[in-house]
Amino acid sequence: MLIDTHCHLNDPSAFPDAAAEIAAAKAKGVDRIIVVGVKPDEWAETVRLAESHEELFCILGWHPNYTADYSPDRLRELETLLQRPKALALGEIGLDYHWDYSPPEVQRRALLDQLGLAQKLEMPVVFHAREAYSDLLDVLEARPKRPYLLHCFAGSQQDAQRAAELGCYFGVDGPVTYKKAEDLRQILRRLPPDRLVVETDAPYLTPVPYRGKPNRPAYIPEIVAGLAAALGISPEECASVTTINAKRFFGSSL
């Protein structure tokens, strides 16, 4: 069994027929797909979509790029939805200094409040970080350790080492297949294999040989093959290891 641990199947402009995407993924051995609700007006619909398909699960959180209108009052709704059986983690939350959609101080307030909610609910957390790994890791290192996953990891070797010392998991996406991504592959080789999971982030970050087209959960086997080549193991072993890791992080219900 393969698991796409992070995708945006709830985006109707990219995926007008979710059932067809699920069927295409299952034909490629992808039996579980985790859909991400990144802002308040997506949360309820993301849960509804997950509850409508056996193969789907979800994570919910307030992505830093959507926090310009952040209000802690909305976290009551998030808390309620996170207690539904198909909701596996809080995320993706974090910091993003690449875009200026939301002031850093607002992003940080939303991050800290949601970390507090995750601690209250005893839930794992999935993070988004872009040009902000050092500040994010500063925050996490000052808190009690929890199950953390760095979605689409793209940090430095130093960032990876700090995150590994926190026991973080690392999401591996289409870039592992890119010719110019040797630095990423070298970092992945140095990480504990039992902390790696695969994800598409579909419709973004499409792997080779489909690069230039919208990404799909059905392309997880290409990401597994790229990660396997980077680690020097077989695709079958890589599939087994990353699936076991995903179940350990997200829970046995997956």
Side-chain angles (χ1 to χ4, degrees):
M1 182 175 75
L2 296 173
I3 300 172
D4 182 354
T5 62
H6 197 112
C7 82
H8 300 274
L9 198 61
N10 52 347
D11 179 353
S13 63
F15 301 109
D17 188 343
E21 289 300 325
I22 294 168
K26 285 178 70 68
K28 295 291 187 178
V30 184
D31 292 319
R32 293 289 184 268
I33 300 169
I34 300 178
V35 184
V36 186
V38 298
K39 52 188 175 181
D41 63 4
E42 284 188 359
W43 294 338
E45 177 59 23
T46 301
V47 172
R48 187 206 65 78
L49 180 65
E51 292 177 342
S52 299
H53 299 276
E54 179 184 0
E55 301 86 354
L56 299 189
F57 292 81
C58 65
I59 67 175
L60 309 171
W62 208 323
H63 188 296
N65 286 343
Y66 299 102
T67 56
D69 60 350
Y70 173 71
S71 169
D73 292 340
R74 298 299 301 271
L75 297 188
R76 289 194 289 270
E77 175 188 359
L78 179 59
E79 179 176 357
T80 297
L81 291 170
L82 283 171
Q83 294 177 74
R84 301 281 275 268
K86 282 293 190 97
L88 302 180
L90 196 158
E92 58 188 286
I93 66 173
L95 299 170
D96 190 316
Y97 298 163
H98 179 78
W99 303 107
D100 61 356
Y101 298 137
S102 177
E105 62 272 15
V106 177
Q107 295 183 42
R108 185 181 177 88
R109 188 180 319 127
L111 169 64
L112 293 173
D113 287 351
Q114 290 180 94
L115 284 172
L117 178 58
Q119 184 172 348
K120 175 183 178 181
L121 297 177
E122 298 184 336
M123 296 195 82
V125 185
V126 178
F127 292 100
H128 169 100
R130 191 165 184 187
E131 299 174 15
Y133 281 99
S134 182
D135 282 2
L136 175 61
L137 290 166
D138 285 346
V139 170
L140 300 185
E141 288 168 347
R143 301 178 62 89
K145 289 184 180 180
R146 290 205 53 74
Y148 294 144
L149 191 163
L150 298 175
H151 152 63
C152 188
F153 182 75
S156 67
Q157 179 60 53
Q158 181 181 11
D159 298 330
Q161 181 62 37
R162 290 176 66 188
E165 290 172 359
L166 285 168
C168 291
Y169 287 67
F170 299 81
V172 181
D173 303 67
V176 75
T177 69
Y178 299 171
K179 183 177 181 180
K180 295 183 178 180
E182 185 55 34
D183 287 349
L184 171 62
R185 289 186 284 271
Q186 288 184 9
I187 290 171
L188 293 174
R189 291 185 194 109
R190 298 185 180 119
L191 290 173
D194 65 350
R195 289 295 184 270
L196 303 176
V197 299
V198 289
E199 52 183 41
T200 59
D201 200 25
Y204 314 107
L205 300 176
T206 310
V208 172
Y210 303 106
R211 198 172 181 190
K213 301 177 181 179
N215 203 357
R216 306 174 65 190
Y219 296 161
I220 276 286
E222 279 67 37
I223 296 169
V224 169
L227 177 58
L231 299 180
I233 61 177
S234 70
E236 293 77 14
E237 181 179 357
C238 187
S240 176
V241 168
T242 54
T243 294
I244 290 169
N245 295 345
K247 286 178 170 288
R248 186 190 314 112
F249 180 81
F250 287 105
S252 58
S253 62
L254 184 60

